[in-house]
Amino acid sequence: PPVGFGIGAPLRRALCAAMADRERGANMEMQEVEFEGGEDMDAEVQQGDCVEVKFDSDEDVPPESDDEVDDMPLQEEGTIDEREVYGEADGMAPDVDDSLAHVTHTESVLSCSFSPTDRRVLLTGAQDDFAVLWLIEESGPGQLRASERFRLAGHTDSVSQAAFSHDGKYVATASYDGTVKIWAPESGALLHTLDGPSKEVEWILWHPKGHAILAGSADTMAWMWWAPSGKLMQIFAGHAQSVTCGAWGLGGKLIVTGSMDHNVIVWNPRAGTPQQTVREVHENSVVAMCAHSEAPLVVTGSEDGTACVIHIETGKVVANLPGHADSIEAIAFNSPGPGEISLLATASMDGKVLVWDGKTFDLRCSMKDHVGDGGIVRFKWLPQSPYSAWLCTCATDGSLRVFNALAGQCVHTLRGHTDTVLDLDVAVGDAPQAGVPGALQMAVASASDDKSCRIFTVPLWTLGSAAAAAAGSTGVGAAPVGPGAAQAAPPESSMA
C-alpha cells in the first residue's frame, strides 16, 4: 500500500480551474469524540484513548495565514493548455489508442485506483463532483468492457482523490467541498461523511495496515478519522499554509506532513503534537513525499526541483538528491523481494525519472524518455517480483511509459489519451492465456484531463530478457530492451 501522497502542480491547476467561488464557514460545531479502537488498527495508534477534540470558541481555532487573500473570492484567471508549453507530442497521437477499454466523466478525471482485492473493480474520481465504481470484464479476444456499478454522489465540488483501504473494505473520496466520504464498495452505500476541514481537501491517505484515514487540507491542517465509525481522531495544526502532502512513517507509527510553507512536520498520531519540525527544508512548496516502510526515513520533493531524505526521529536531512530542473511531482520507494535491490525514484516536470539506491542514495540512472515531450505527473512501482524494479509513469504529453529501472530503459509505451494524464494505478497478476508457466501481465488504469480513464494491459512475459534484468540483484550485465521490441507484442485482455 502507498505510504505517502502529495498533490502536484498539474493536478492543482486542474482543480483550481474548476473550483467554485465558495467558502465554507470556519465556525463549526465539533463533537466530542472517543476513540473506538479496531482490531486492524496499528498497535501504536490503538493504545490509550484518542485525544478529545473540542473547540470552546472561535479563538481556539488555529489562525489562518494570508487573511486578506482569503477574504477575496476565488476567480478563475484562465488555464494554459500544456500543449502550448510542450508542443504536440507523440504521446497525444489521435490515431493511436493502445487501451482495451475506457470510461468517461463529464469533466477531467483526477483519480483512479484498482481494488486491492479484485482488480476487475476500478474506482475513479473527477471534477464533475462524482466518484464511480466500475466493473471491468472481458468482452471478446483482446477486448475489455467497463460497466458502471455504482455512482458515488453527494460531493458538491471536485473529487480530488478516491482510494480503497488496504483490504478493499472501504472506499474514501476527498473533495474540494471540504469533506471526506466513506463508502461501502460492495453496495455503493454512503457510510459516513467526515466533516471538519474549513477549506479544500487536497489529498487522503489510508493507514497501511488499518482503517484510519489521513487528509491534508488547504486550511493549514491535517485531519485523521477512524473510518468504521466516522469519528474524528485527531487534528494536526502547525503549518502556516496548505498541507500539500503526507506520509505514514515507520509503517504507520508516525505521521509526516509537508506544506506550501516549505516545512516538514513529524507528528505523534496519538497526541497530535509535533515530534520534529524541519523548517525551510526546501526553498519552495513541498509537493511530494514518501516514507520508507521500515526505516525512519521520509523523502520530500519540492516545486523548486530539489529532493531531500529526512531522518524522522532526529529531524536531520541525511541526503540531498540533486538532478532535477523542475517541480518534483512524485517520489516512491519500491517494494523489493528477498535478494532484490531497494530503489528510490523521483519524477519531475522536467520529464526525467532519477533512480537512486534505496540505502546509500547514490544515483543509479537517469531515464529521459519523456524529456522534450512533457512533464511527469505520477508514477507507480510494479508491486510484485520479479518486476519490483519496474515502474510506470504518466505525463503531460498524454502518454504512459513502463521503465526497467535497473536497466535504465523504457520497455513499453502506452498511448490513447489526448490530454494530460493526471493519475494512474497498476496491478500485476497471472496470465494463464500466455501458455507460459509463471507468466505475468500488468493492468494499467490512467485518469486524464481528456475526461476519460483508460485501461491497458501489458503482457510482461513478452518483454524477453528485461524480466531477467528486473530479477537481478545487481543490475550488472542486464540485457538492454528497446521500446520497439516491446511495442511489437500484441495486447492481452485477461483481467482475471
Side-chain angles (χ1 to χ4, degrees), residues 74-96:
L74 294 171
Q75 297 180 353
E76 181 180 345
E77 297 293 339
T79 59
I80 299 175
D81 190 334
E82 270 86 0
R83 284 169 286 190
E84 297 180 11
V85 179
Y86 297 104
E88 192 73 34
D90 292 340
M92 292 185 184
D95 57 340
V96 178

Side-chain angles (χ1 to χ4, degrees), residues 173-243:
T173 55
S175 173
Y176 262 40
D177 64 10
T179 67
V180 176
K181 293 181 183 290
I182 306 297
W183 313 79
E186 70 277 3
S187 65
L190 176 64
L191 301 179
H192 305 289
T193 296
L194 311 180
D195 294 306
S198 61
K199 290 187 177 180
E200 300 85 1
V201 178
E202 303 267 22
W203 53 269
I204 50 175
L205 190 62
W206 285 99
H207 190 280
K209 301 175 184 177
H211 293 139
I213 188 164
L214 182 67
S217 173
D219 66 3
T220 75
M221 293 178 281
W223 302 72
M224 183 173 67
W225 298 270
W226 181 240
S229 66
K231 297 294 185 181
L232 177 63
M233 296 175 65
Q234 194 57 265
I235 301 173
F236 304 96
H239 286 292
Q241 297 185 54
S242 177
V243 181

